[in-house]
Amino acid sequence: MVFKKMLQAFGVGGPSVETVLANPNCRPGGFLEGQVHVLGGDHAVDVEYLAVGLITRVEVESGDSEYNTDQEFHRQRLTGSFRLDPGAKYDVPFRFDVPWETPITEVYGQHLHGMTMGLTTELEIARAVDKSDLDAVAVHPLPAQERILDALLRLGFRFSRADVERGRVYGVEQHLPFYQEIEFYPPSAYASGINQLELTFLPTPHKLQVVLEIDKRGGLFTEGHDAFGRFDIDYATVDHTDWAGQLDNWLRQSAQRRGLFF
């Protein structure tokens, strides 16, 4: 009897959870819908709550070291406490709001190298190990984000990788404790002055905040240094601007201010 209680404490013979998404694809500011299937185990348990949350991999700088950690950044409780009898079945439908600042993971049907995103389901059981489930989620760019990505590709920039970094971006509206950086290789036309271009999107319900960072090449007598640019895009007027021309002008002006020409 004591051994059986020990097994139960470690989740042996306990309930299971499975989440089925109606569609694993979403956009920032959108939503995910699905159902959580809960199946009771071989003994009754007291469930404290059932919840779903979004998790992504985040890079953290700590002193002189860096490490990666999985961070949940948005959570929604689906139930309160309830008694789950042996073998009992429950289907819990949900609609989960995706935060506006959620990093994108897919561009033009391709997964962004370096990105992970998942919806975790947690069944919190009193006095026992949590039961959880993790489902991959694909976050596609907003139309305004696509316009900027299109412009960079037209200028010849190529995707390198993406990551999510813990911290805050100066001078922008930001609610999540991290931000995404999408890195690009420069085309030959810019390669004499730029090592790489880093792009950060911080969408809000009303506008898209765009932050650009250029990793400048160091010259014979000067050290390489970064240049920053920031601008906002109105969702209603995003199609009225030549973004390739705008970005090209900014890149050239930024380089010329630092004595570089391409």
Side-chain angles (χ1 to χ4, degrees):
M1 187 66 172
V2 173
F3 181 66
K4 183 176 181 180
K5 287 184 178 179
M6 288 178 61
L7 291 177
Q8 291 177 3
F10 284 98
V12 177
S16 63
V17 292
E18 180 187 11
T19 298
V20 179
L21 291 171
N23 186 347
N25 299 282
C26 64
R27 295 181 190 268
F31 60 88
L32 293 163
E33 289 184 314
Q35 284 198 344
V36 180
H37 303 301
V38 182
L39 177 62
D42 59 14
H43 55 274
V45 295
D46 292 317
V47 176
E48 295 186 357
Y49 62 82
L50 176 66
V52 292
L54 272 178
I55 286 181
T56 191
R57 183 70 51 82
V58 177
E59 180 181 296
V60 181
E61 291 187 8
S62 178
D64 296 330
S65 63
E66 295 181 355
Y67 64 92
N68 293 322
T69 184
D70 292 334
Q71 179 167 347
E72 182 181 85
F73 60 94
H74 187 54
R75 165 177 283 234
Q76 181 177 324
R77 284 202 180 193
L78 305 183
T79 73
S81 60
F82 64 94
R83 182 78 169 177
L84 183 62
D85 293 325
K89 296 179 180 179
Y90 289 99
D91 294 332
V92 183
F94 67 88
R95 177 183 168 115
F96 182 88
D97 293 328
V98 177
W100 280 94
E101 293 173 26
T102 299
I104 61 176
T105 66
E106 315 290 321
V107 177
Y108 307 114
Q110 299 295 317
H111 181 75
L112 274 181
H113 176 66
M115 289 303 305
T116 61
M117 186 71 62
L119 185 75
T120 182
T121 306
E122 182 181 17
L123 188 70
E124 177 79 17
I125 304 169
R127 301 179 301 280
V129 177
D130 298 341
K131 289 290 184 179
S132 61
D133 183 32
L134 184 65
D135 295 88
V137 170
V139 185
H140 299 263
L142 296 164
Q145 292 172 316
E146 289 180 341
R147 298 296 182 274
I148 300 301
L149 294 170
D150 286 343
L152 288 173
L153 294 181
R154 287 203 304 273
L155 290 174
F157 285 88
R158 295 176 293 114
F159 288 113
S160 169
R161 63 183 303 276
D163 64 8
V164 177
E165 299 188 11
R166 184 175 293 175
R168 305 197 67 82
V169 179
Y170 177 76
V172 300
E173 180 182 342
Q174 182 180 349
H175 300 282
L176 295 181
F178 54 71
Y179 57 92
Q180 181 182 34
E181 284 190 340
I182 305 173
E183 299 177 5
F184 295 85
Y185 295 117
S188 58
Y190 302 96
S192 61
I194 299 175
N195 279 328
Q196 66 180 17
L197 176 68
E198 295 178 348
L199 168 67
T200 293
F201 290 126
L202 288 159
T204 77
H206 310 293
K207 64 183 179 182
L208 173 63
Q209 302 171 111
V210 181
V211 179
L212 296 171
E213 179 180 354
I214 300 174
D215 179 15
K216 305 298 293 182
R217 289 187 181 275
L220 191 60
F221 302 104
T222 61
E223 294 183 356
H225 49 275
D226 298 337
F228 294 87
R230 189 186 77 79
F231 54 90
D232 296 339
I233 297 176
D234 185 336
Y235 296 128
T237 60
V238 64
D239 293 330
H240 303 160
T241 300
D242 173 15
W243 290 110
Q246 292 275 66
L247 292 173
D248 179 66
N249 287 338
W250 180 81
L251 290 168
R252 294 182 183 279
Q253 290 174 10
S254 178
Q256 289 170 10
R257 285 195 299 269
R258 288 156 178 80
L260 297 170
F261 299 89
F262 41 70

